[in-house]
Amino acid sequence: MTRNLFFGQDILSVDKLTIEHINLAVETAKHMRQVVEKDGACDELRGKVMTALFYEPSSRTYASFIAAMQRLGGGFIPLQGMVYSSVAKGENLPDTVRTFESYSDIIVIRHPEIGAARIAAQFSHKPVINAGDGVGEHPTQALLDILTIQDKFGKIDNLTVTLVGDLLNGRTVHSLSKLLSLYPNVKLNLVSPMILPLPRELVDLLKTRKVNVRELYSLEDAAGETDVLYMTRVQKERFTDLESYEKVKNHFIVNQDVLSLMKKDAIIMHPFPRVGEIDMEVDLDPRAVYIKGQMANGMFMRMALLYLILKKVI
Ligand code: NCD
């Protein structure tokens, strides 16, 4: 019997995750992929209910959590935008959380404020999953990203990963860079506009963990040595001044020219939505895994996490 490290636990950030957690999540997600390919669904979580509490826009995270719960045979309370809930009448987060924990077994929350998932967890007796807290973290995205990299390379160690775009505000790269730092000999290229670097404390943490970190301002300089090219959009909603956004929004674009510099067996990833960082023609390149691999993996990884958190014996 495998030790279920996730049972009853919150997932608020990647900070408490170890290689053992990641391996368990990845193996379970691969199993879920087989279940879906073979039967479409199972009834492992019959009788369980998930609340999806989304205070910020979402397509993939929201839909994949809901599809994941459905394919596990569970139910869900879908709350997106919160305009039709009591939040629109001014209800505070603790009251909202205490309401929905009364009806469900797990709460998945996305919120514009950093630390909101942690506050939700303080008020909930049921496990809470952070589906993105402002410019903080997005742990389930990072886990599905690791699954996607492992699907291609069968490992993480010794890879050169290039993170590109809004590294300051992008929560996916905050979580992913920390997970990558758990593996030996990872080389990390950080490519961002000058005003959007990875937060300094995070760069320092990565260096303490012996990651070979390089900060660059040109995608072309990193493309040739990259195994995993991870593109992100500039997070418009985090800017107070739209003029600055306009200046940096189209800084880095993957097109045929960039493709021609890249290794034949590299992969290109993007958490999506893309708003111009990857030309549509790149979708046809076999190195593009953001739609077929990464997007689909979102549901498999979320199935795995819901199953592991809610099912004591696996
Ligand atoms: C990301 C997010 O919400 O942080 N989207 C996602 O969940 N796949 C990335 C983004 O919005 O740019």
Side-chain angles (χ1 to χ4, degrees), residues 56-58 60-61 110 131-132 134 138 141 170-172 232-233 235 237-238 270-273 302:
E56 264 196 340
S58 173
R60 279 148 290 271
T61 307
R110 170 170 287 192
H138 196 348
Q141 177 75 42
R171 55 198 173 198
T172 69
T232 65
R233 77 182 165 95
Q235 310 273 304
E237 67 275 33
R238 313 294 177 207
H270 194 309
F272 268 50
R302 286 164 183 137

Side-chain angles (χ1 to χ4, degrees), residues 140-250:
T140 65
Q141 177 75 42
L143 285 166
L144 78 90
D145 292 339
I146 293 283
L147 168 63
T148 309
I149 300 172
Q150 293 231 14
D151 278 342
K152 165 71 185 183
F153 296 100
K155 59 160 194 176
I156 305 292
D157 18 305
N158 298 312
L159 294 177
T160 297
V161 180
T162 300
L163 305 177
V164 184
D166 187 347
L167 307 185
L168 180 67
N169 300 306
R171 55 198 173 198
T172 69
V173 288
H174 298 166
S175 295
L176 180 59
S177 60
K178 284 198 253 181
L179 285 191
L180 291 170
S181 74
L182 300 176
Y183 294 85
N185 206 20
V186 169
K187 186 166 177 196
L188 206 54
N189 292 318
L190 305 175
V191 181
S192 71
M194 204 81 86
I195 60 162
L196 301 172
L198 199 71
R200 188 48 40 200
E201 324 78 74
L202 189 44
V203 176
D204 291 344
L205 174 75
L206 300 174
K207 287 185 176 160
T208 324
R209 292 185 180 172
K210 305 272 182 288
V211 183
N212 182 354
V213 185
R214 205 156 63 113
E215 290 178 88
L216 306 162
Y217 302 101
S218 149
L219 177 51
E220 284 73 13
D221 287 351
E225 62 165 25
T226 297
D227 298 303
V228 178
L229 181 63
Y230 193 98
M231 300 298 296
T232 65
R233 77 182 165 95
V234 176
Q235 310 273 304
K236 185 179 183 183
E237 67 275 33
R238 313 294 177 207
F239 281 70
T240 40
D241 145 34
L242 282 184
E243 218 173 288
S244 312
Y245 168 74
E246 292 298 329
K247 276 192 202 138
V248 289
K249 70 173 183 190
N250 288 327

Side-chain angles (χ1 to χ4, degrees), residues 263-308:
K263 290 184 187 174
K264 289 278 165 286
D265 64 348
I267 56 172
I268 304 161
M269 299 175 67
H270 194 309
F272 268 50
R274 69 172 146 187
V275 286
E277 307 79 38
I278 304 180
D279 273 1
M280 295 288 276
E281 59 184 13
V282 176
D283 300 0
L284 302 172
D285 193 284
R287 288 168 287 189
V289 300
Y290 38 85
I291 295 175
K292 276 206 179 123
Q294 195 180 1
M295 224 178 250
N297 279 344
M299 185 177 75
F300 304 133
M301 179 51 76
R302 286 164 183 137
M303 284 177 79
L305 297 172
L306 291 169
Y307 171 76
L308 290 168

